[in-house]
Amino acid sequence: MEILLIIRFCCNCTYALLYKPIDRVTRSTLVLHDLLKHTPVDHPDYPLLQDALRISQNFLSSINEDIDPRRTAVTTPKGETRQLVKDGFLVEVSESSRKLRHVFLFTDVLLCAKLKKTSAGKHQQYDCKWYIPLADLVFPSPEESEASPQVHPFPDHELEDMKMKISALKSEIQKEKANKGQSRAIERLKKKMFENEFLLLLNSPTIPFRIHNRNGKSYLFLLSSDYERSEWREAIQKLQKKDLQAFVLSSVELQVLTGSCFKLRTVHNIPVTSNKDDDESPGLYGFLHVIVHSAKGFKQSANLYCTLEVDSFGYFVSKAKTRVFRDTTEPKWDEEFEIELEGSQSLRILCYEKCYDKTKVNKDNNEIVDKIMGKGQIQLDPQTVETKNWHTDVIEMNGIKVEFSMKFTSRDMSLKRTPSKKQSGVFGVKISVVTKRERSKVPYIVRQCVEEVEKRGIEEVGIYRISGVATDIQALKAVFDANNKDILLMLSDMDINAIAGTLKLYFRELPEPLLTDRLYPAFMEGIALSDPAAKENCMMHLLRSLPDPNLITFLFLLEHLKRVAEKEPVNKMSLHNLATVFGPTLLRPSEVESKAHLTSAADIWSHDVMAQVQVLLYYLQHPPISFAELKRNTLYFSTDV
């Protein structure tokens, strides 16, 4: 009886001293989260609530880190305890083809597994493809790496087509659900979406991550982000600091270890939309404005820069890069970027030290490898970012603190074309007005930006895709609007991505699209024609129907984009990439016209956007189009559309 009382007393004490305080913190965290949702951002208590939430979340994270190893432990037949530290889906290059693997990092071994196909009703199991004891695992340096085995990459246009199909299928699923369609039809659509998402996930990664067994084989993974490569490398190197012994697993030990993977795994599903629950956030669609202010915490001077990544279609994509701040411990960039979001839920910031040593070249992509100094990630909470005001925050990474601000513009707001109130400038002014005033065939801003890009940016990786600094773009916009005599000097000194961004902004802010509101429905019909001859006649006829300033400017831009695409092996910008960037900019109707055409503002890959990309791609893939030849043929065709 006394023993029972002692046990009950100990249990009560354990609950009161250990679990009850944690339970209180958990409840308080939930309350703080709800309070933040309903507190205006400009309220004086808002930053205090944010700090309190961050402190409580950090506390719970530290508790979970202590608890997780017990939950993720497996005992080998020899009685040793082996814990799961990290797992995830990676793309392995095996036998010159891409394979999706589930990789498990235990305290002393890295195991690469494949999920076995099982019949209905049976438990899923993993099949071990290979393993490396951490004592035998080494990372070859870039210059020591052998060239990658030949893997045929998916063409960019096929990857973009997959994205379009995925978004079209999403829309169909939503329509079926809204109309209370048959569950069988919804499941069929979900299956198609999964197939496309799986292919996209498998074929999009390009960043090499090599590991080597000092006693044998090398293995190559392809990742979408430098962030993941750094995470895996750091997790392995942290474990290798312990006193590890080399070993060989017996077939029984390997079977036990592989069998434990299904139970211990922390990542359960392939990261695709079709695996998400219906009540999960669809992410943000629109534009995220980010200002990278400064960084502190570096121990010695270095040449430093940051990159920004956001998730899209299940993987992360690099979207922007600050300039290199040279020889400093406290870089102050104060650079603003406009990042397009495609269902994004997270923002990552990576801080690098720039390497100028040409001997450190990665043989996989022939690029010099820069050193990651720190990295961090935040969730894009719609409640926080969907405000008119800037939200300032700090990301802490390995003792380094990067300060940044952000605000979000939804897609329906960012799509508006707003005519300029000042007709003396060039932005937001009709192209016919600008060319008449300048007595030119092509607006001066277009000619100068194109000339500068071709002079020093045509081989820039991601030209027209990587964001320029927003403050630089606004400065260029002001100079062009004022027709400042220092334009040429300013252009020659400006970052090339800012000049590319200024050109895109000019076309985006035209009061009506370059290919006009009037002809928009006809372009949509023409690109949908299946007969090649009929399509050719229609698409050429539509060009002839454009006003001369619009047509001459379009043909000028078209030839420029073709010249950019000729450098695709270097700049990684294909015709399809360029059509994706410029198609909606050149065709998207003005606000009045677009109300009839835009579908869900949350779906950037709507049917209309796909068609806009296809229209520009048609002309980019077409043999050279001559203005004189088009006009000569006008005699034989009516101009009414």
Side-chain angles (χ1 to χ4, degrees):
M1 187 67 182
E2 287 179 6
I3 292 172
L4 287 173
L5 287 170
I6 291 168
I7 292 171
R8 186 176 294 171
F9 175 75
C10 289
C11 288
N12 288 338
C13 286
T14 302
Y15 177 76
L17 296 173
L18 295 178
Y19 297 108
K20 201 169 182 180
I22 294 169
D23 186 51
R24 280 179 184 163
V25 176
T26 305
R27 290 183 185 185
S28 298
T29 304
L30 294 172
V31 170
L32 284 167
H33 198 273
D34 287 340
L35 277 171
L36 269 171
K37 276 187 179 181
H38 299 94
T39 302
V41 178
D42 54 358
H43 193 280
D45 290 344
Y46 192 86
L48 297 173
L49 289 169
Q50 275 188 314
D51 289 341
L53 180 62
R54 189 181 290 120
I55 291 166
S56 61
Q57 284 177 332
N58 288 341
F59 172 75
L60 290 173
S61 295
S62 65
I63 295 294
N64 288 335
E65 282 174 11
D66 292 337
I67 293 171
D68 273 346
R70 286 196 293 259
R71 184 179 62 81
T72 56
V74 59
T75 305
T76 67
K78 293 180 181 177
E80 300 164 346
T81 301
R82 181 177 284 131
Q83 294 163 355
L84 178 65
V85 177
K86 180 178 175 63
D87 70 300
F89 288 95
L90 302 181
V91 174
E92 183 188 13
V93 177
S94 175
E95 299 171 357
S96 296
S97 62
R98 295 169 182 245
K99 315 275 176 142
L100 192 66
R101 306 297 195 205
H102 200 149
V103 181
F104 295 84
L105 175 62
F106 290 90
T107 41
D108 62 346
V109 63
L110 184 76
L111 185 144
C112 179
K114 174 189 174 184
L115 200 58
K116 285 183 180 178
K117 289 184 179 178
T118 54
S119 53
K122 288 194 175 181
H123 290 297
Q124 285 186 311
Q125 291 181 322
Y126 282 102
D127 177 27
C128 176
K129 304 306 293 181
W130 51 264
Y131 73 90
I132 306 178
L134 296 190
D136 293 330
L137 190 153
V138 291
F139 297 106
S141 63
E143 54 270 22
E144 292 171 344
S145 298
E146 300 171 3
S148 298
Q150 188 62 38
V151 183
H152 297 291
F154 249 54
D156 283 337
H157 71 271
E158 290 193 29
L159 292 175
E160 296 297 338
D161 283 345
M162 281 181 216
K163 291 180 183 179
M164 292 178 182
K165 285 177 187 172
I166 291 163
S167 293
L169 288 164
K170 274 186 194 174
S171 297
E172 284 186 53
I173 291 168
Q174 292 305 319
K175 284 176 189 173
E176 285 287 338
K177 286 180 178 176
N179 297 330
K180 297 185 178 175
Q182 293 182 357
S183 57
R184 191 176 295 176
I186 293 171
E187 286 306 312
R188 189 166 59 248
L189 289 168
K190 279 188 174 181
K191 185 180 177 184
K192 276 188 189 176
M193 191 165 86
F194 175 82
E195 288 167 0
N196 279 282
E197 286 191 299
F198 181 84
L199 278 174
L200 187 63
L201 198 66
L202 192 66
N203 290 288
S204 57
T206 57
I207 296 175
F209 175 50
R210 290 182 176 277
I211 53 174
H212 178 70
N213 186 335
R214 69 172 83 248
N215 298 318
K217 236 181 132 182
S218 289
Y219 301 92
L220 172 66
F221 293 105
L222 294 176
L223 308 180
S224 296
S225 163
D226 217 1
Y227 194 100
E228 272 95 18
R229 179 166 62 179
S230 176
E231 274 196 327
W232 280 97
R233 185 189 290 267
E234 287 172 9
I236 291 168
Q237 288 174 334
K238 186 178 178 181
L239 292 169
Q240 287 180 325
K241 288 178 181 177
K242 299 172 184 176
D243 184 23
L244 298 172
Q245 302 297 317
F247 58 84
V248 176
L249 292 173
S250 68
S251 57
V252 174
E253 288 174 314
L254 186 59
Q255 190 175 354
V256 170
L257 184 61
T258 308
S260 71
C261 288
F262 190 79
K263 179 181 69 176
L264 300 179
R265 62 184 179 166
T266 59
V267 180
H268 296 267
N269 296 315
I270 297 169
V272 293
T273 311
S274 42
N275 279 339
K276 287 185 177 178
D277 295 329
D278 290 341
D279 58 351
E280 284 190 62
S281 169
L284 295 171
Y285 291 83
F287 290 91
L288 185 70
H289 301 264
V290 181
I291 301 175
V292 183
H293 294 294
S294 59
K296 293 180 180 179
F298 297 98
K299 294 178 181 175
Q300 57 188 34
S301 292
N303 303 313
L304 303 164
Y305 69 92
C306 287
T307 62
L308 306 179
E309 296 181 351
V310 292
D311 56 312
S312 170
F313 293 92
Y315 59 95
F316 277 80
V317 183
S318 183
K319 288 284 190 175
K321 177 181 174 181
T322 69
R323 70 185 186 278
V324 178
F325 214 100
R326 291 175 176 268
D327 195 24
T328 182
T329 56
E330 293 191 6
K332 290 181 172 59
W333 295 285
D334 288 323
E335 293 182 3
E336 182 184 337
F337 301 93
E338 182 183 77
I339 297 172
E340 192 166 11
L341 303 183
E342 304 169 323
S344 307
Q345 294 180 307
S346 301
L347 168 71
R348 288 174 171 176
I349 299 182
L350 294 92
C351 195
Y352 289 86
E353 178 183 358
K354 182 71 180 172
C355 175
Y356 293 103
D357 185 351
K358 292 182 179 179
T359 62
K360 295 187 176 181
V361 172
N362 191 328
K363 291 183 181 178
D364 289 308
N365 52 21
N366 204 33
E367 292 178 7
I368 295 174
V369 179
D370 295 335
K371 181 182 177 184
I372 292 182
M373 304 297 288
K375 63 189 189 312
Q377 174 175 312
I378 61 160
Q379 293 302 113
L380 296 175
D381 180 6
Q383 296 289 339
T384 303
V385 298
E386 286 185 337
T387 64
K388 293 180 181 178
N389 301 321
W390 286 94
H391 168 68
T392 303
D393 207 340
V394 173
I395 280 186
E396 296 192 31
M397 41 175 86
N398 301 348
I400 299 163
K401 293 181 179 180
V402 176
E403 184 183 355
F404 67 100
S405 299
M406 61 182 177
K407 68 177 180 179
F408 173 71
T409 307
S410 62
R411 176 141 291 274
D412 53 341
M413 291 298 292
S414 62
L415 288 177
K416 291 181 179 178
R417 291 184 184 271
T418 308
S420 174
K421 293 176 182 177
K422 294 180 181 179
Q423 290 297 298
S424 59
V426 293
F427 282 82
V429 179
K430 284 187 176 181
I431 199 164
S432 57
V433 173
V434 172
T435 51
K436 186 176 180 181
R437 185 205 308 142
E438 294 178 351
R439 296 180 183 176
S440 61
K441 292 182 177 179
V442 175
Y444 180 71
I445 182 174
V446 176
R447 285 183 281 121
Q448 290 305 319
C449 288
V450 163
E451 185 180 321
E452 202 64 34
V453 168
E454 292 195 2
K455 188 191 296 181
R456 58 189 179 92
I458 203 162
E459 294 188 350
E460 185 79 15
V461 175
I463 190 70
Y464 291 121
R465 179 174 53 79
I466 299 294
S467 301
V469 178
T471 43
D472 289 347
I473 293 170
Q474 291 302 316
L476 279 171
K477 176 183 176 181
V479 168
F480 275 111
D481 268 341
N483 193 24
N484 193 302
K485 61 182 180 180
D486 296 327
I487 288 174
L488 294 180
L489 181 63
M490 192 171 178
L491 279 174
S492 63
D493 289 340
M494 193 65 75
D495 177 71
I496 200 64
N497 286 316
I499 294 170
T502 303
L503 183 64
K504 288 189 293 181
L505 183 67
Y506 170 72
F507 287 115
R508 200 165 89 204
E509 290 197 356
L510 283 173
E512 75 162 352
L514 186 65
L515 300 189
T516 73
D517 285 328
R518 182 177 69 88
L519 295 177
Y520 183 75
F523 276 112
M524 296 298 97
E525 291 170 12
I527 199 63
L529 293 172
S530 54
D531 179 72
K535 181 183 280 191
E536 165 81 7
N537 285 335
C538 180
M539 298 302 277
M540 291 303 111
H541 173 50
L542 288 169
L543 285 190
R544 284 189 290 272
S545 305
L546 286 169
D548 282 2
N550 297 58
L551 176 56
I552 296 170
T553 303
F554 178 68
L555 295 179
F556 179 81
L557 180 66
L558 205 63
E559 292 310 307
H560 164 63
L561 296 179
K562 287 181 180 181
R563 288 191 289 272
V564 171
E566 285 172 4
K567 299 287 185 180
E568 182 192 350
V570 183
N571 62 30
K572 314 298 183 193
M573 292 300 290
S574 65
L575 289 175
H576 202 286
N577 286 146
L578 293 163
T580 303
V581 171
F582 277 94
T585 301
L586 300 179
L587 279 130
R588 188 190 74 246
S590 56
E591 188 183 359
V592 176
E593 295 290 328
S594 64
K595 285 178 182 175
H597 301 291
L598 285 174
T599 54
S600 168
D603 189 2
I604 117 169
W605 293 103
S606 66
H607 178 269
D608 272 15
V609 175
M610 294 182 214
Q612 290 159 13
V613 171
Q614 291 302 318
V615 168
L616 181 54
L617 186 61
Y618 179 86
Y619 292 121
L620 285 170
Q621 292 173 336
H622 197 279
I625 303 167
S626 160
F627 174 79
E629 189 66 29
L630 275 173
K631 286 301 176 181
R632 198 176 299 126
N633 291 337
T634 305
L635 298 171
Y636 306 104
F637 294 92
S638 165
T639 57
D640 294 329
V641 177

